[in-house]
């Protein structure tokens, strides 16, 4: 008999298949996805978002998506493990605040939708649903100041007493999330979960989704 966690993992497998087809991929952003715990735990994803244009051009930010056993009826929790100067990312905890992760979540949405939202968050930052109030205030009242704050953060400067890691000259700004390695090959969830298929999908994708 399947548990809720098993059923949620099955849904995640479906979402990953959609991601491999480049659905909902934003222009000017590329995305990588790994399973830090290997295929034995499909309810924890590490997502890397690399920006190729815009205010955050050249930067890569990493996120941990923790998917509840009740998924897709409840949204994942998303934490940014790279320190980022952004209105919707808590400067101290890394918690991401987006309506799609709370009041606007619907069971028809998916991991694919969340990844797309993370891409758009950097392409078109907004002061709405802000958890970094100084960043939101600058973006709303003085966009030039916000632009300078972002530039300083990406260059490894400090803002409001907080030190940022450089995204320049090859810096990864991987933060407390650790290295961005390949998904571990581990069994889990039993043969009915078709673990080999998941591993094959991960190897084929890795997942490098290029913006078009």
């Amino acid at each position: 008999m399947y548990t809720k966690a098993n059923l949620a993992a099955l849904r995640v497998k479906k979402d990953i298949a959609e991601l491999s087809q480049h659905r909902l991929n934003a222009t000017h952003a590329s995305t990588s996805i790994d399973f830090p715990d290997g295929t034995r735990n499909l309810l924890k994803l590490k997502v890397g978002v690399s920006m190729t244009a815009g205010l955050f051009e050249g930067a890569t930010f990493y996120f941990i998506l923790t998917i509840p056993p009740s998924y897709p009826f409840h949204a994942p929790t998303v934490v940014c493990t790279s320190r980022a100067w952004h209105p919707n990312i808590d400067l101290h905890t890394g918690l991401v605040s987006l309506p799609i992760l709370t009041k606007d979540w619907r069971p028809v949405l998916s991991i694919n939708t969340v990844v797309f939202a993370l891409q758009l968050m950097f392409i078109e930052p907004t002061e709405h649903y802000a958890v970094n109030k100084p960043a939101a205030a600058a973006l709303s009242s003085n966009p030039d100041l916000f632009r300078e704050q972002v530039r300083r953060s990406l260059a490894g400067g400090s803002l409001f007493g907080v030190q940022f890691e450089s995204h320049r000259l090859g810096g990864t700004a991987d933060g407390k999330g650790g290295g961005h390695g390949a998904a571990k090959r581990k069994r889990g969830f039993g043969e009915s979960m078709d673990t080999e298929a998941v591993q094959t999908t991960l190897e084929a994708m890795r997942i490098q989704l290029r913006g078009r």
Side-chain angles (χ1 to χ4, degrees):
M1 178 179 293
Y2 284 119
T3 65
K4 287 184 177 179
N6 288 87
L7 293 173
L10 282 172
R11 171 61 186 268
V12 170
K13 285 173 55 181
K14 177 179 179 292
D15 293 349
I16 295 304
E18 291 182 353
L19 280 166
S20 69
Q21 298 171 20
H22 291 205
R23 298 181 184 176
L24 286 182
N25 198 43
T27 303
H28 306 316
S30 64
T31 305
S32 64
I33 295 181
D34 283 320
F35 291 92
D37 299 332
T39 53
R40 65 185 175 86
N41 180 11
L42 299 184
L43 301 186
K44 181 178 180 181
L45 280 71
K46 183 178 180 181
V47 176
V49 175
S50 299
M51 303 307 302
T52 58
L55 286 179
F56 296 89
E57 180 179 3
T60 297
F61 301 96
Y62 293 95
F63 302 84
I64 292 295
L65 275 62
T66 303
I67 302 168
S70 55
Y71 178 80
F73 299 100
H74 294 92
T77 298
V78 182
V79 173
C80 185
T81 61
S82 309
R83 184 160 279 163
W85 184 257
H86 194 287
N88 301 110
I89 299 176
D90 189 286
L91 193 56
H92 302 288
T93 68
L95 188 66
V96 175
S97 175
L98 292 173
I100 193 179
L101 299 175
T102 52
K103 70 180 187 66
D104 288 350
W105 179 261
R106 301 291 184 272
V108 296
L109 302 180
S110 66
I111 300 302
N112 198 355
T113 319
V114 174
V115 170
F116 186 58
L118 293 177
Q119 295 172 339
L120 291 182
M121 185 175 70
F122 291 106
I123 294 172
E124 298 180 2
T126 174
E127 67 272 19
H128 302 300
Y129 304 98
V131 287
N132 181 336
K133 301 300 183 182
L139 177 61
S140 176
S141 62
N142 191 342
D144 287 339
L145 173 61
F146 178 73
R147 187 176 297 106
E148 171 58 24
Q149 290 173 336
V150 170
R151 185 205 63 77
R152 192 186 313 169
S153 69
L154 298 184
S158 63
L159 291 165
F160 291 83
V162 176
Q163 184 66 44
F164 292 79
E165 295 183 39
S166 176
H167 288 258
R168 307 305 186 191
L169 300 176
T172 62
D174 195 26
K176 56 192 175 184
H180 190 61
K184 300 177 183 178
R185 296 191 172 204
K186 295 185 179 180
R187 298 262 178 191
F189 295 108
E191 291 300 322
S192 60
M193 291 297 293
D194 195 11
T195 303
E196 290 296 334
V198 175
Q199 292 172 343
T200 300
T201 300
L202 289 176
E203 288 295 328
M205 295 185 293
R206 275 294 307 131
I207 299 173
Q208 297 296 327
L209 305 179
R210 301 300 178 185
R212 296 180 294 175

